[in-house]
Amino acid sequence: MPNPTDAYASRDPSPASPARRAEAVTPSDTTDLNAVAKALYVGVAGHVRVVPVAAPGGAAVTFSNHPVGYLPIQCSRVLQTGTTAQSLVALFD
């Protein structure tokens, strides 16, 4: 049952809508996130290596020298190898 004080509970989420859930990320080369993230928040600048949700063959990509702020990429995994950024938070609908 939706929270009666949640004015947004009945709205359909979109890629541009604000996140409704967030989790700290522990980068891993073998373990996926609990769900596909709609975006990441980078708390300490650096490289962020992810597996985008629609990447052909699960190919990873590196966002080099990403500044503190939001990384608008839907991803299933944040890799430990190649990630130097810290204080990462995954955002979900």
Side-chain angles (χ1 to χ4, degrees), residues 40-48 62-72 84-89:
L40 297 174
Y41 177 77
V42 178
V44 177
H47 304 322
V48 182
T62 301
F63 293 88
S64 296
N65 301 313
H66 196 282
V68 170
Y70 293 95
L71 177 56
T84 60
Q86 298 176 14
S87 299
L88 302 172
V89 178

Side-chain angles (χ1 to χ4, degrees), residues 2-91:
N3 180 341
T5 61
D6 184 353
Y8 302 99
S10 63
R11 297 180 190 226
D12 287 330
S14 75
S17 64
R20 294 183 53 84
R21 186 169 62 87
E23 292 179 9
V25 172
T26 301
S28 172
D29 291 342
T30 58
T31 304
D32 286 340
L33 299 171
N34 291 329
V36 171
K38 71 185 299 175
L40 297 174
Y41 177 77
V42 178
V44 177
H47 304 322
V48 182
R49 189 159 174 81
V50 300
V51 177
V53 70
V61 63
T62 301
F63 293 88
S64 296
N65 301 313
H66 196 282
V68 170
Y70 293 95
L71 177 56
I73 182 77
Q74 294 179 1
C75 61
S76 58
R77 183 179 297 175
V78 178
L79 297 163
Q80 180 178 11
T81 301
T83 295
T84 60
Q86 298 176 14
S87 299
L88 302 172
V89 178
L91 305 174

